[in-house]
Amino acid sequence: MLQLRPILSTLRRHRTAALLIVIEIALTCAIVCNSVFVIANRIERVKFGSGLADTELVHLGMRSIGNNDNAAAVTREDLAALRAIPGVRGAAIMSLIPFGREGRDSGISLVPDQPTATIDAALYSGDVGLPDVLGLKLIAGRDFHSDEIVDEDVFQKTDDFHLSGVILTRAVAERLFPNGSAVGRSIYIFGNSPLVVVGVVERLVSPHPDHGDQRDLYSVILPIRPAYDNGSYVLRTGPAQRDTVLKAALAALDRVDPHRVAQPHGTFEDLRGDYYKTDLSMVWLLAGVCVALLVVTAFGIVGLASFWVQQRTKMIGTRRALGATRGQILRYFQTENLLLTTAGIALGMLGAFAINQWLMTQYELPRLPLVYLPLGALALWALGQVAVLAPARRAAALPPAHAMRGLS
């Protein structure tokens, strides 16, 4: 406290340099706080649990060369051939695959002719045993029975066809029926035909997750077996056998019907990695920006402190001659830096909120949590004290005689 008056007096005489370092710290605070928030948001999104046995799954698809009027029968042959491959624990076909290129959502209602749907959810459809193949955890009810599965072409061509049931994720079940079990209850997806909930799985991520929260788990499974040219085969095997099984699966499908071409195929891990490639690139980019800003700010503090040590050699010598200790000189520069850093942080917090408001408007980013501000302040205070330490120690080490020599 005794040093505040001379420090403030000195800063008033060096307004421009002090203002520049305050602005630099403010910009660093505003940008780093938002960048770290975006990084955390993206990492949370990338690590969001899919509910799938990602490390055990491979996917592959086939498309006809020309028309195929018997696609449903060929699909059944494909599934029998795939299930017979050594190392395959299960095989199924599904209309959409998580992290794939296509998606399909639909509104779900609780009563017929409901004006506004209660919830929008991704619509998966597949063969019997699909939850087990995907590694989904069934927490209530059951899987579909084999006689409940209908071929896609039959469902599309038959008017007023009634499906026997539907499987929901826990997120959908809790949203639709918050006060009781969803099993046995009815929902409406296709007009006025009720669908009875036969099972609930813990998690199943939607085909295009982009929120990193419960909304990405709004999914349902319908008992509709798509034909091979409108779906993708999913096989479950051991992590070490995926490549071998995938090659064997492609060969098996070619033997069933050679007049087809393979579609993009691979492991679910690679599929997920490709889906989040942009997010990971953004994480590394923003991390680099944060490091660069902190380094530039640190060098700015070091440069300014070194310059001021040179400019104040006579003052340091006078204070030392009057009995100031090295510790007092050191604390003088550290206190000065603390004041500048605090001013920059205060200004930077306002900038952080302004940037966050813009990001919320332009990119639908969530509001910046307040916890990032004190964490950012602590980081910048620590950075400032570390950066000023070397110049301050040099100033404190100046002998009084040396500091005063030639300056009288």
Side-chain angles (χ1 to χ4, degrees), residues 80-104:
L82 293 173
R83 289 164 182 160
I85 296 173
V88 172
R89 295 170 51 186
I93 188 169
M94 57 192 306
S95 56
L96 306 170
I97 55 175
F99 313 111
R101 293 177 295 177
E102 299 178 356
R104 182 188 178 192

Side-chain angles (χ1 to χ4, degrees), residues 51 136-139 168-171 200-204 217:
L136 308 182
K137 181 181 179 182
L138 193 67
I139 60 174
L168 312 180
T169 60
R170 180 199 287 269
V200 178
V201 295
E202 177 70 31
R203 301 172 75 91
L204 173 57
L217 299 177

Side-chain angles (χ1 to χ4, degrees), residues 341-380:
T341 304
T342 301
I345 289 171
L347 188 60
M349 286 183 177
L350 297 177
F353 274 113
I355 293 175
N356 179 247
Q357 289 296 319
W358 180 78
L359 291 174
M360 289 172 61
T361 303
Q362 298 296 321
Y363 300 101
E364 298 183 357
L365 203 68
R367 186 178 299 278
L368 178 69
L370 293 177
V371 68
Y372 283 89
L373 298 180
L375 291 177
L378 289 174
L380 286 171

Side-chain angles (χ1 to χ4, degrees), residues 3-280:
Q3 296 187 36
L4 285 180
R5 183 173 297 177
I7 290 174
L8 295 175
S9 177
T10 303
L11 290 178
R12 280 196 296 268
R13 293 197 301 269
H14 299 86
R15 291 189 185 91
T16 302
L19 182 60
L20 288 175
I21 200 67
V22 166
I23 292 175
E24 183 178 13
I25 293 171
L27 288 173
T28 300
C29 178
I31 295 174
V32 168
C33 283
N34 279 281
S35 296
V36 171
F37 173 52
V38 173
I39 288 172
N41 185 268
R42 294 294 172 174
I43 291 176
E44 182 179 357
R45 178 183 171 187
V46 170
K47 290 186 175 182
F48 189 75
S50 65
L52 308 170
D54 294 324
T55 60
E56 302 175 10
L57 298 176
V58 298
H59 67 94
L60 64 157
M62 304 294 287
R63 295 295 180 268
S64 297
I65 301 175
N67 295 326
N68 189 340
D69 297 329
N70 202 23
V74 173
T75 301
R76 294 191 188 92
E77 291 184 57
D78 286 345
L79 288 169
L82 293 173
R83 289 164 182 160
I85 296 173
V88 172
R89 295 170 51 186
I93 188 169
M94 57 192 306
S95 56
L96 306 170
I97 55 175
F99 313 111
R101 293 177 295 177
E102 299 178 356
R104 182 188 178 192
D105 291 352
S106 181
I108 300 178
S109 303
L110 295 175
V111 295
D113 299 320
Q114 187 171 310
T116 303
T118 305
I119 187 177
D120 289 328
L123 298 185
Y124 289 101
S125 61
D127 200 4
V128 64
L130 179 61
D132 183 63
V133 171
L134 294 178
L136 308 182
K137 181 181 179 182
L138 193 67
I139 60 174
R142 59 173 176 83
D143 189 7
F144 299 120
H145 296 314
S146 57
D147 59 353
E148 294 174 329
I149 303 294
V150 58
D151 288 323
E152 183 180 46
D153 58 345
V154 175
F155 176 73
Q156 292 178 343
K157 293 177 182 178
T158 305
D159 294 334
D160 297 327
F161 192 96
H162 297 288
L163 295 175
S164 56
V166 64
I167 295 175
L168 312 180
T169 60
R170 180 199 287 269
V172 174
E174 290 180 347
R175 177 72 183 275
L176 295 176
F177 307 105
N179 299 319
S181 174
V183 177
R185 311 282 285 275
S186 295
I187 64 173
Y188 296 83
I189 299 178
F190 305 109
N192 294 327
S193 299
L195 288 170
V196 177
V197 179
V198 299
V200 178
V201 295
E202 177 70 31
R203 301 172 75 91
L204 173 57
V205 72
S206 62
H208 298 150
D210 58 0
H211 301 289
D213 57 27
Q214 288 293 99
R215 290 173 292 178
D216 289 334
L217 299 177
Y218 288 167
S219 303
V220 304
I221 304 175
L222 301 171
I224 303 173
R225 182 193 298 113
Y228 70 85
D229 50 0
N230 285 326
S232 296
Y233 292 113
V234 180
L235 283 68
R236 188 174 182 183
T237 184
Q241 298 177 288
R242 289 177 296 179
D243 292 338
T244 302
V245 164
L246 188 58
K247 292 178 182 178
L250 290 169
L253 295 180
D254 188 61
R255 288 193 296 269
V256 172
D257 183 355
H259 302 292
R260 297 183 292 183
V261 294
Q263 297 300 295
H265 50 273
T267 69
F268 265 64
E269 271 192 322
D270 291 339
L271 195 66
R272 180 176 181 136
D274 290 340
Y275 184 82
Y276 287 121
K277 185 182 296 182
T278 301
D279 296 278
L280 292 173

Side-chain angles (χ1 to χ4, degrees), residues 271-321:
L271 195 66
R272 180 176 181 136
D274 290 340
Y275 184 82
Y276 287 121
K277 185 182 296 182
T278 301
D279 296 278
L280 292 173
S281 297
M282 180 178 291
V283 167
W284 286 111
L285 176 63
L286 291 177
V289 169
C290 290
V291 171
L293 280 173
L294 292 172
V295 169
V296 169
T297 302
F299 275 111
I301 293 172
V302 170
L304 181 62
S306 299
F307 173 74
W308 278 349
V309 168
Q310 293 178 354
Q311 293 291 309
R312 301 175 191 175
T313 303
K314 184 176 180 179
M315 181 202 74
I316 296 169
T318 302
R319 289 174 61 88
R320 293 283 279 125

